[in-house]
Amino acid sequence: ANSLPSHRKGYVLKRLRESWQWYLLLLPGLVYLIIFLYGPMYGVQIAFRSYSAKLGIVDSQWVGLKWFLRFMDSSDFGQILWNTISLSLYTIAVSFPLPIIFALMLNAMRAERFKKVVQSVAYMPHFISTVVIVNLMNLIFSPISGIYGNVFRLFGGEGFPSDLRGLPETFQHMYVWSGVWQTLGWSTIIYTAALAGVSQELHEAAMIDGASRWQQLWRITIPCIWPTIIIQLILKVGHIMSVGYEKVFLMQQSTNLGVSQIISTFVYEQGIAARQYDYATAIGLFNAAINLVVLLIVNRIAKKRSNVSLF
């Protein structure tokens, strides 16, 4: 504060005195960010050291980009990178537009009671843990005792069908569409809120001019929520490399490992299972750096094309 001009300093102090209650409410969140998000960044330097728990972070040998080069020179690098990107792009291609469509359908419903029932039913899977979701998939698609196996035999199949859970060609489909079922209802909340802010006067004026409901959708509704759609797309693409390891790890089998091994599961194996903390940290930092670059590029393009951006 001492480096601020006197008039600017006075303005800041005045705002603090007038709105100290609001800043007090922000304090717990700020403390959380400092302790759990910014504090651990001190340990990022492990990625550039040959880490030894006995020596500690600072006294461990500095090795520069050794671990980054090791990862990029590994025989699995190309496959792991492709698995991560392809799974993320498939997820975005499916899970991004569907909540928008679902929110528009809910918004078009006239029966409020039925609308609330549909919303509640759609929200419920969000509260089911990933472990339970994968167990449900195992129960449903089990070729021996699951619904899939029983239906196969019901229609005249002999023996047991192929185990879809272990087939490389079905892994991504099962991952993505089970995720859509789990997150579709919850993901519509922000679009439902945006739709609630669309002025009804615009729709009434369009109806007077003879516009159909389809024309109102394309000329009024979608343009009004377009900034929200762009922001959500930027955030989605900005996390293109951040495919969570938990669900993938639970779905992994030796038969589908070629398509299910992604960066996050590889980091888990190297960092937790193999205890190569420096190597795992370097891979994680590499992943985060790509996400940052992609986020900046997409944000720049969005700002240039639509004048809507995060910053």
Side-chain angles (χ1 to χ4, degrees), residues 217-236:
L217 173 68
W218 284 104
R219 300 292 184 179
I220 299 175
T221 306
I222 292 180
C224 285
I225 66 170
W226 190 248
T228 303
I229 295 175
I230 295 296
I231 293 296
Q232 290 300 306
L233 180 60
I234 294 173
L235 293 174
K236 283 278 188 181

Side-chain angles (χ1 to χ4, degrees), residues 33-44:
L33 289 175
I34 293 173
I35 294 176
F36 294 103
L37 295 180
Y38 288 97
M41 291 177 68
Y42 172 78
V44 170

Side-chain angles (χ1 to χ4, degrees), residues 59-71:
D59 294 330
S60 296
Q61 180 186 1
W62 182 270
V63 295
L65 300 177
K66 174 184 176 180
W67 305 121
F68 296 92
L69 296 176
R70 174 183 167 182
F71 177 55

Side-chain angles (χ1 to χ4, degrees), residues 66-252:
K66 174 184 176 180
W67 305 121
F68 296 92
L69 296 176
R70 174 183 167 182
F71 177 55
M72 289 186 284
D73 289 339
S74 65
S75 58
D76 298 326
F77 172 73
Q79 188 63 47
I80 292 173
L81 188 64
W82 169 248
N83 290 344
T84 305
I85 294 175
S86 61
L87 184 60
S88 184
L89 288 176
Y90 186 6
T91 303
I92 293 173
V94 173
S95 64
F96 178 72
L98 286 181
I100 302 173
I101 297 171
F102 187 55
L104 292 171
M105 292 172 63
L106 288 174
N107 188 63
M109 287 184 181
R110 294 290 181 256
E112 286 297 324
R113 182 174 297 181
F114 179 70
K115 177 179 177 180
K116 291 179 180 179
V117 171
V118 172
Q119 284 179 310
S120 299
V121 172
Y123 293 163
M124 287 179 183
H126 172 77
F127 301 99
I128 302 175
S129 70
T130 302
V131 175
V132 175
I133 292 291
V134 176
N135 281 331
L136 284 174
M137 292 169 60
N138 289 334
L139 290 173
I140 293 171
F141 292 102
S142 171
I144 299 174
S145 58
I147 297 174
Y148 163 64
N150 289 324
V151 170
F152 174 80
R153 288 184 289 275
L154 180 65
F155 285 94
E158 297 182 358
F160 302 112
S162 300
D163 191 350
L164 299 179
R165 300 168 299 176
L167 295 178
E169 56 267 27
T170 61
F171 169 79
Q172 288 193 345
H173 302 301
M174 295 181 69
Y175 176 90
V176 171
W177 289 101
S178 62
V180 168
W181 175 76
Q182 184 181 13
T183 62
L184 177 63
W186 187 260
S187 299
T188 61
I189 290 178
I190 190 168
Y191 299 110
T192 303
L195 288 168
V198 178
S199 174
Q200 291 301 313
E201 295 179 357
L202 295 175
H203 287 284
E204 292 171 1
M207 291 174 62
I208 294 173
D209 290 338
S212 64
R213 294 184 66 179
W214 185 256
Q215 290 173 324
Q216 292 177 50
L217 173 68
W218 284 104
R219 300 292 184 179
I220 299 175
T221 306
I222 292 180
C224 285
I225 66 170
W226 190 248
T228 303
I229 295 175
I230 295 296
I231 293 296
Q232 290 300 306
L233 180 60
I234 294 173
L235 293 174
K236 283 278 188 181
V237 177
H239 288 82
I240 191 170
M241 301 291 288
S242 299
V243 181
Y245 88 94
E246 185 181 7
K247 185 177 179 181
V248 176
F249 183 75
L250 291 171
M251 292 177 63
Q252 273 184 350

Side-chain angles (χ1 to χ4, degrees), residues 3-22:
S3 62
L4 293 173
S6 57
H7 66 281
R8 181 64 178 171
K9 182 179 179 181
Y11 174 76
V12 172
L13 293 175
K14 181 181 178 182
R15 287 294 303 272
L16 287 173
R17 285 194 299 267
E18 292 177 349
S19 307
W20 65 270
Q21 298 94 336
W22 298 110

Side-chain angles (χ1 to χ4, degrees), residues 264-276:
S264 58
T265 57
F266 189 68
V267 168
Y268 170 80
E269 291 179 1
Q270 298 301 317
I272 304 299
R275 299 182 181 178
Q276 299 184 43

